[in-house]
Amino acid sequence: MFNFPKAPDWVIFDEDLAEQGHKQWPYLDTVLAIEYYKVLSAFRVLCEDDKMALAKGTIFQIAMFHGAYDSFRRGHCDTVVQPDGYRNLSHPYFQHDSLALTAREGVLPYLRELDIHDEHFVLLKAIIALNPLAPDLSPEGRELISQEREKHQQLLMSLIQTEDSKTWLSRFVRLFDLVNGNLRAAEAMQHLFFLKYLPLISVKVKVSALWIELFMESCFS
């Protein structure tokens, strides 16, 4: 385990703690998601409004998937655990909350069942990012994103077929269940952020205005 200073278990992002070297992984996963869009060829040719719409509509889904897969690769199969041992929504306040459970598990149940490896991860991450149902996309942007997503779906299908020609269809269907499960986990995290997390920390920490804006845009666009 890396020797990073561990943030309090109620923190998602706090500017003062960031200056002290705390990684605050949910925030970093979101920043990395922003960088990820830049490697997608389809994203680079979208107009600026469509780029913003796609990012707002899928950014937390990418962040949740990345965090869950990284946790899984490090041997955590029941709840997402960050490299310094930080567990999302681990404060006792969230212990019995069903939405918190969904967010803490993420897609780990699917990863356990399907034995996902890096090639699956790369294609699934692109499929999650290239969501033509992201709000506020233009018709032209929606069509382009749909075509690009279909290409990655076909690549994933071909990969699964080469791995097991007999059971590939059921496995492929379950992989798409993973995409939907990841969406549910991201939505659970977003709802908890507004309904419970912000009231809990409002008197404790200084939360980045940009972080709040990203959550708000993604939730209510």
Side-chain angles (χ1 to χ4, degrees):
M1 183 177 294
F2 299 100
N3 188 27
F4 296 123
K6 186 178 178 181
D9 59 10
W10 38 262
V11 166
I12 288 182
F13 181 72
D14 171 69
E15 294 175 358
D16 294 334
L17 288 174
E19 293 176 358
Q20 299 169 25
H22 293 274
K23 294 300 180 182
Q24 301 177 80
W25 301 99
Y27 182 82
L28 285 181
D29 281 337
T30 305
V31 173
L32 291 173
I34 294 172
E35 292 300 310
Y36 172 69
Y37 290 108
K38 300 175 184 178
V39 308
L40 296 174
S41 57
F43 185 81
R44 293 197 295 269
V45 300
L46 290 172
C47 69
E48 292 304 312
D49 286 345
D50 281 339
K51 286 180 180 178
M52 186 65 68
L54 183 65
K56 289 178 179 178
T58 61
I59 190 168
F60 292 109
Q61 298 168 45
I62 298 174
M64 292 290 288
F65 183 52
H66 183 272
Y69 184 69
D70 176 68
S71 185
F72 177 73
R73 285 288 305 272
R74 287 183 285 102
H76 301 284
C77 298
D78 297 315
T79 186
V80 174
V81 181
Q82 303 295 351
D84 60 357
Y86 176 84
R87 297 171 185 263
N88 297 343
L89 302 170
S90 59
H91 191 280
Y93 184 66
F94 301 107
Q95 183 175 0
H96 301 295
D97 190 293
S98 60
L99 285 178
L101 176 61
T102 298
R104 284 195 298 267
E105 285 186 341
V107 292
L108 286 174
Y110 294 95
L111 298 178
R112 290 196 308 268
E113 172 196 347
L114 297 168
D115 191 26
I116 302 298
H117 55 67
D118 289 350
E119 287 83 359
H120 301 132
F121 169 74
V122 169
L123 292 171
L124 286 166
K125 189 173 179 179
I127 290 168
I128 289 169
L130 296 168
N131 187 350
L133 299 181
D136 300 324
L137 283 171
S138 70
E140 296 79 12
R142 198 175 304 280
E143 178 63 23
L144 174 61
I145 294 302
S146 181
Q147 292 174 2
E148 288 297 308
R149 192 185 217 203
E150 178 64 26
K151 291 178 184 178
H152 286 82
Q153 291 172 179
Q154 291 295 329
L155 288 171
L156 181 60
M157 182 183 298
S158 297
L159 175 61
I160 300 302
Q161 287 176 318
T162 61
E163 292 174 343
D164 190 337
S165 60
K166 294 182 179 179
T167 65
W168 73 267
L169 182 56
S170 61
R171 183 170 167 79
F172 183 72
V173 170
R174 287 297 286 157
L175 285 170
F176 262 83
D177 287 342
L178 180 153
V179 173
N180 293 327
N182 186 73
L183 174 59
R184 290 191 294 271
E187 290 176 342
M189 175 67 82
Q190 290 169 255
H191 281 88
L192 283 170
F193 182 81
F194 283 102
L195 297 177
K196 293 191 174 181
Y197 179 76
L198 280 182
L200 177 66
I201 68 167
S202 60
V203 297
K204 296 181 178 180
V205 299
K206 179 171 59 178
V207 181
S208 166
L210 175 59
W211 181 241
I212 295 176
E213 181 181 353
L214 282 171
F215 260 105
M216 289 183 69
E217 291 287 357
S218 183
C219 279
F220 301 118
S221 60

